[in-house]
Amino acid sequence: MTELKIKFSDRVRIFVYGTLKPGEVNYKRYCASKVLDSKRAIATGKLFALPMGYPAMTLENSQVQGYLLSFADVEILSQLDDLEDYQPDRHPSENLYNRQQIEIRNLQGLSLGFAWVYFMSPERVSQLRGIPQADGWWSGCGLKASEVWDL
């Protein structure tokens, strides 16, 4: 799979929907000291809770709620690639998650442009016994989407 080298600004933008969201277990370690901007956002996809305690998103026609994070340093992608078991040179079926750029929208449905997202194939989600999250929101710390404010 060929990676697109699309650059819309000097910032690296990543849509996160799981453990990398503000308040979740991996946010402090990977993002907190590096994030320039964070805003609630929506991506087109379907969200699943996995039995291992983290979520997966597939690129299907539904909505996933999360955050659009902006970073100054492109090195963040290498760090997150390691976390998500993604290697661009590997065949997509060998990665746990794959990464690509998709359009992200604000909570009112207006486009925020494109951002990187880590997604899982529907086949892998099925193998891992993913449970659909009807409201498109996942939280490992028990927060509901309605309880979250912009940071």
Side-chain angles (χ1 to χ4, degrees):
M1 178 160 77
T2 305
E3 275 195 46
L4 297 176
K5 304 284 189 223
I6 300 173
K7 189 172 183 180
F8 294 98
S9 72
D10 289 337
R11 293 184 176 192
V12 177
R13 294 157 35 104
I14 304 170
F15 176 76
V16 297
Y17 53 85
T19 66
L20 292 167
K21 291 187 309 191
E24 297 292 345
V25 67
N26 282 323
Y27 180 78
K28 186 175 181 181
R29 178 176 178 191
Y30 289 92
C31 304
S33 66
K34 302 169 189 154
V35 71
L36 300 174
D37 187 44
S38 170
K39 60 182 76 157
R40 288 282 309 274
I42 296 171
T44 299
K46 190 170 180 182
L47 192 65
F48 297 85
L50 300 176
M52 296 79 75
Y54 53 85
M57 173 181 162
T58 58
L59 298 179
E60 297 180 63
N61 194 20
S62 194
Q63 287 190 340
V64 174
Q65 299 185 56
Y67 285 84
L68 178 60
L69 305 181
S70 297
F71 300 88
D73 189 353
V74 72
E75 180 59 29
I76 189 69
L77 289 175
S78 294
Q79 295 166 15
L80 297 182
D81 287 352
D82 288 344
L83 173 68
E84 305 293 5
D85 191 19
Y86 168 72
Q87 292 181 20
D89 298 330
R90 248 186 340 210
H91 189 274
S93 65
E94 296 174 2
N95 289 319
L96 180 61
Y97 289 88
N98 287 289
R99 174 170 50 87
Q100 77 178 49
Q101 289 186 324
I102 64 171
E103 187 173 22
I104 306 301
R105 299 188 178 281
N106 66 16
L107 299 182
Q108 292 73 42
L110 300 174
S111 179
L112 296 172
F114 285 77
W116 292 108
V117 66
Y118 291 90
F119 68 95
M120 195 175 277
S121 72
E123 297 79 20
R124 178 71 56 105
V125 169
S126 180
Q127 283 177 336
L128 297 175
R129 295 186 168 90
I131 300 165
Q133 304 298 286
D135 62 357
W137 178 260
W138 178 91
S139 178
C141 59
L143 287 177
K144 296 179 182 160
S146 60
E147 299 172 328
V148 180
W149 299 275
D150 283 330
L151 297 178

